[in-house]
Amino acid sequence: MNPYLGLDEIFFWSSAVAKKNMFDIERLWDPKFKVEKNQKISTFGSCFAQHIGKALVDKGFNFLVTEAAPSGLTEYNAQKLNYGLFTARTGNIYTISLFQQWINWALSESSPPDEVWEKDNRYIDPFRPTIEPNGFDSVDELYQSREITLEAFKEALVSSNLMVLTLGLTESWINDSDNYEYPICPGTLAGTFEKHHKFLNQDYTFIKKKLTESIQKIRDINPNINFILTVSPIPLTATMSGNHILSATTESKSILRSVAGNISKKFDFVDYFPSYEIINSTPFRGSFFEPNQRNVNIVGVNHVMKIFFDSLSKKKYGAFEINAPFTNAIEHNRVCEEELLNAFSKNK
Amino acid sequence: MKICILGNSHTASLKTGWDKISSDYPQVMLTFFAARGNAMSRLESKLNMLIAKDTELENSLKFTSGGIKQIDLNNYDLFLIYGLGFRIPKLDKRLPSSTLNMLFSEINSKSLSINLANKIRDIVSAPIYIGHAPLKADENELSSKDAMNILSYEDVLKKLSLSIKVSNITLIGQPLITRNGDFNTKREFSKGSTRLDIGDKLSGQLHPDEDLTHMNGQFGALWLENFFKKVLVF
């Protein structure tokens, strides 16, 4: 007699993985809470998170968009202007500390700094560097546009029923003089790299603290909100850690995965969805990556989303919805500043 | 003065309004050419005329005009294009100019009203006026906080007007007396609105009470009176 006897087959590698075709590996996620189609679901996070909003719309869920494109703009141009990628037009939020920074600005606990990057007579928002494809006409326009986003971000915090947060990176760049964080290293896309720009490879304790604080702050103003955490499966484009990119990626993702796992166990209202495992684990043999072994292909995105929605359906109905096959390829061009770092590689 | 009005279902309110006030304007002759939905997109230019590509549209034109199947543009002193999906968007004044320019460019390129205006302008040089689809009826006004960040109706109209590339064209706004705040029509004007009369079984039927987009004859009369103030020289 021992505690392993009688355990469900999903708790054994042999039965759950080794003896299965990779597409038959199932029950990867048992959602903590039901998600109703009328619930307002917001998404924020790194590049991979952009797929989630589109998938929510595709499956008839209520993807909350608090910063909608101006009425009359076509979908093509709205997408070009980065509307609808996330709930508000924050652009990619790669780290939890950046997420916390947005929360503090939105709740007026601190103010965004005046810093603006100039490039080719246009103005770039250092905190949303690709949000306007050609930059802003003026600094005033930049600030006003960001003001709209901060209002929309606050609206998302206040009115979401569920927030899906994708954790992307541990590596970050800080303005050490004034203590604020950039989503991308100054001087890469725009801006000038200066000596007060410091690299910080965030560790487990730091990220866990930031995530706990962020979640609790949101719950203070929205007491019934639930969270689903997920870790982006996309490897780093570049690393300042001093380690090989493979090691740096593994360490980064491991830390994020550990934090997400810990926080999801700590709070009833936080769940973890294993998109990282689905894309990266050995049973899937890397087949969900493009030839560059970094970008996730459409099959991978679709498989992740299928598991996400099938699991939610099973939670709600006790079975998979027969009449709700996941529709084909969400062909959608992700906007990913982090990929631009590759431009600085000597060997492309 | 001979005025040609081209429009969609929203033209019904102008027609009903004209029936109330026409005796006050003996110097004006209005000819309506209207069809529901986007049917007017099936007009094509031929010599000096606009002609329906299909019988359904042709019948609609014939009925609404009182017997005229083809629109001879040389017969009119000016043109009013009304409704046809041309809407005034509510815009945050903090939006970047590049976004606004992109939006206005799209409105121009995709608008049936502008498309028709271009067809008319290719043939005649008479003035063309565009009246946008009525603002949605709503009893509520924007909160002062929201209103603070929204471009005023007049400003949007001005910016849209500047973006239109067709020569000698004027965007006509909805009269202030019909509006509730900047972007809504007073609720009273959407009550009792009727379907465009094109001679079919739906013609003249009341729109459901919850239809907040079609306006009644009282609205149409006020709209036309405002329009005549701008175009008629007394």
Side-chain angles (χ1 to χ4, degrees), chain A residues 70-74 77 81 83 122 132 136-137 141 144-145 147-148 151, chain B residues 89-99 102-103 106-107 110 145 149:
Chain A
S71 167
L73 209 59
T74 56
N77 278 325
L81 293 174
Y83 284 98
R122 305 288 292 177
E132 277 296 309
F136 293 91
D137 242 4
E141 263 197 4
Q144 291 197 30
S145 168
E147 200 181 292
I148 299 177
E151 282 174 11
Chain B
K90 212 186 295 182
L91 297 169
D92 195 308
K93 59 172 74 150
R94 299 167 295 178
L95 285 170
S97 49
S98 53
T99 302
M102 187 186 277
L103 174 64
E106 276 196 0
I107 289 175
K110 291 178 173 25
K145 183 172 171 280
N149 289 323

Side-chain angles (χ1 to χ4, degrees), chain A residues 88-130:
Chain A
R89 241 167 125 231
T90 55
N92 294 311
I93 300 178
Y94 293 104
T95 65
I96 286 302
S97 44
L98 259 174
F99 182 62
Q100 188 183 53
Q101 186 168 274
W102 276 100
I103 294 172
N104 291 339
W105 292 345
L107 300 182
S108 304
E109 293 185 9
S110 61
S111 298
D114 293 335
E115 184 175 349
V116 165
W117 294 343
E118 198 174 333
K119 185 179 178 183
D120 301 331
N121 294 319
R122 305 288 292 177
Y123 298 91
I124 310 292
D125 186 343
F127 309 102
R128 306 183 297 159
T130 54

Side-chain angles (χ1 to χ4, degrees), chain A residues 240-258:
Chain A
M240 280 299 295
S241 67
N243 296 325
H244 191 281
I245 187 72
L246 202 57
S247 302
T249 295
T250 304
E251 183 176 345
S252 196
K253 300 297 179 183
S254 300
I255 289 170
L256 293 171
R257 175 62 183 93
S258 299

